Amino acid sequence: MGFSVTIASAIVLIGLIIFFGSLSAVLVYSLNTLFDTTKEYVNREREKFDVRLELNITSIGADTCTIKVKNLGTKTIFLQSQENFQWNSIIISYQNNSQWLSYIIENYTVLDVRVTDTQVLFNPASHPFINPGEEARISFNLPEEAPAISQGTTVIVVFASHYGVTGQTEGVR
């Protein structure tokens, strides 16, 4: 009976060592994954702090709108789509017959890019981005199925950048 107790104890001890070793490996792996995820999240949030946008509505028509986006942050805002990827989206909301309608605009036209508060213009074809201290005039049309914006209607426009930072403004047609 003495020898079998020793063997059984050794087997139980080896099982406990394997169990706690596996548990420790899973714990270390989970902590490393949590650390990497937290680090990536903090870096993305830090990037958002470097982006600041100001948005103004220049004109509102029945089915068209022109806005001015100013980059007041320290990151470049890219405007031109690349390989069917839109860097930014514009969201327009307005009231029509007591219901609010909202549309996401992916196709917009950059009319010009300039240094803020100056007459120094850049060609949007060769300068398809807004550096810090620059602004862009952007024009877009409502989708074909959207009803026209009536006179006196409040319009809300949101410019959502690829950093996750938005600029929002309100105007009246």
Side-chain angles (χ1 to χ4, degrees):
M1 180 165 126
F3 186 65
S4 62
V5 169
T6 306
I7 291 177
S9 297
I11 291 172
V12 169
L13 181 63
I14 290 171
L16 286 173
I17 290 172
I18 290 172
F19 174 73
F20 285 116
S22 299
L23 189 62
S24 298
V26 167
L27 184 62
V28 167
Y29 175 76
S30 297
L31 287 174
N32 280 339
T33 303
L34 182 63
F35 177 75
D36 291 342
T37 304
T38 303
K39 186 177 174 182
E40 184 176 327
Y41 174 77
V42 167
N43 285 340
R44 286 186 182 207
E45 288 301 310
R46 184 177 299 136
E47 226 176 36
K48 286 183 182 180
F49 284 130
D50 295 336
V51 179
R52 194 168 139 230
L53 300 174
E54 183 180 298
L55 185 66
N56 295 314
I57 296 176
T58 306
S59 68
I60 302 172
D63 62 350
T64 186
C65 188
T66 303
I67 59 174
K68 186 188 312 181
V69 180
K70 290 184 184 180
N71 183 356
L72 304 174
T74 60
K75 295 278 189 182
T76 300
I77 306 296
F78 300 100
L79 299 171
Q80 186 177 16
S81 64
Q82 293 178 334
E83 299 174 8
N84 295 327
F85 175 76
Q86 287 299 111
W87 285 100
N88 311 292
S89 296
I90 299 171
I91 302 156
I92 184 168
S93 295
Y94 60 95
Q95 194 170 14
N96 184 22
N97 296 332
S98 75
Q99 72 175 10
W100 280 89
L101 302 172
S102 297
Y103 299 98
I104 295 178
I105 309 297
E106 297 286 335
N107 297 320
Y108 50 82
T109 303
V110 180
L111 301 174
D112 59 51
V113 177
R114 70 177 64 221
V115 176
T116 302
D117 299 327
T118 69
Q119 297 302 320
V120 178
L121 290 174
F122 300 106
N123 182 355
S126 61
H127 193 88
F129 47 85
I130 312 170
N131 282 324
E134 293 178 353
E135 61 187 39
R137 275 189 329 122
I138 298 172
S139 177
F140 60 91
N141 295 323
L142 293 176
E144 290 180 14
E145 70 273 5
I149 301 171
S150 304
Q151 287 286 4
T153 300
T154 301
V155 177
I156 300 170
V157 179
V158 177
F159 181 87
S161 74
H162 59 283
Y163 295 109
V165 176
T166 62
Q168 178 179 336
T169 191
E170 189 173 301
V172 177
R173 174 163 188 252

